[in-house]
Amino acid sequence: FSRAISLLPGDATYDEARTLWNARFDKYPSMIARCASVDDVVEIVNFARMRGLSAAVRSGRHDLAGRCVMDDEISIDLTQMGKITVDPQKRSVRAEAGAIWRNVTTEVQKHGLATGGPMDSNVTVSGYGLGGGLNLLMRAHGLGCDNVLSIEMVSSGGEQIKVDKDNHPDLFWAMRGAGANFGVVTAMEYRLHPIPKVLAGNVTWALGDDSVK
């Protein structure tokens, strides 16, 4: 490939690149394509389509079901795509698919803004928003998927598409938790909220005592 870094079984960093957070899954993809740009993703998608090859997309390591890396398939690895851009006037943040939520939080906090993120700050923005998105702010501001403003993706035909409530609205609805295998998400835009006060701590109940500790 002209830009993507391709790892094959036997390469020095192949085992590290295929390893998932959930050690229950031990998968061996036929090739790992580490993409650094949208052009890399287009190239890999076209390569797989023209050769009739299956591919799985990995933005991070936290897929509990182990579906982001599969045996004998191409692994489209987006972990190097982590650029984050905050628009404080619009109250939004655009992050590439491999951006870790911890880094997103750090950037948006500089502007006094926040959006509900996952309990584990090592989860990436794409896996979180596409899967629903439980968070500590959801009672006030909704699930993660409710705060997705737009999704940038590469279709199975190699076309770059941006979907939102006005562009491909049915696809925009479906991608926020209703299904899978619509394409390769390369970036997502989230709505931000001003959070003037943060209350933190644990509430526990003592056995045999009705008082809150």
Side-chain angles (χ1 to χ4, degrees):
F1 298 103
S2 59
R3 293 173 295 274
I5 300 175
S6 303
L7 299 176
L8 299 175
D11 288 347
T13 57
Y14 171 83
D15 282 333
E16 177 187 355
R18 71 176 181 83
T19 300
L20 299 179
W21 173 80
N22 188 347
R24 173 186 176 188
F25 300 101
D26 189 25
K27 304 294 183 64
Y28 292 81
S30 59
M31 180 181 72
I32 301 172
R34 284 187 156 175
C35 301
S37 68
V38 177
D39 288 340
D40 291 346
V41 177
V42 171
E43 183 180 6
I44 296 301
V45 168
N46 288 333
F47 173 85
R49 185 186 69 257
M50 289 186 293
R51 289 162 177 78
L53 302 174
S54 298
V57 183
R58 168 181 165 173
S59 59
R61 295 175 181 264
H62 282 257
D63 180 5
L64 292 177
R67 295 167 297 185
C68 61
V69 175
M70 302 298 291
D71 287 327
D72 304 320
E73 293 188 0
I74 296 175
S75 175
I76 301 178
D77 190 318
L78 307 180
T79 55
Q80 297 185 64
M81 297 177 61
K83 184 178 179 180
I84 301 166
T85 305
V86 181
D87 187 335
Q89 282 72 42
K90 186 181 176 182
R91 289 184 178 175
S92 68
V93 57
R94 176 192 178 274
E96 291 183 330
I100 297 174
W101 203 268
R102 177 178 63 250
N103 297 335
V104 174
T105 299
T106 299
E107 292 301 315
V108 301
Q109 283 181 342
K110 295 176 182 178
H111 305 277
L113 299 169
T115 188
M119 309 305 180
D120 188 332
S121 62
N122 290 313
V123 173
T124 57
V125 297
S126 53
Y128 168 74
L130 297 175
L134 298 176
N135 64 85
L136 295 176
L137 302 178
M138 59 188 175
R139 294 186 67 181
H141 300 296
L143 299 174
C145 61
D146 296 322
N147 288 283
V148 174
L149 295 174
S150 66
I151 301 172
E152 298 170 34
M153 61 178 289
V154 176
S155 71
S156 59
E159 181 184 3
Q160 296 183 45
I161 301 173
K162 183 175 181 178
V163 299
D164 54 31
K165 64 182 181 63
D166 298 316
N167 301 288
H168 310 285
D170 289 343
L171 182 58
F172 183 55
W173 172 84
M175 294 187 72
R176 292 177 296 155
N181 296 324
F182 298 110
V184 181
V185 172
T186 55
M188 299 182 72
E189 182 186 17
Y190 283 86
R191 181 183 296 107
L192 298 176
H193 308 278
I195 307 296
K197 181 185 295 185
V198 177
L199 303 177
N202 294 325
V203 177
T204 60
W205 293 90
L207 292 177
D209 187 352
D210 291 334
S211 61
V212 177
K213 302 296 184 182

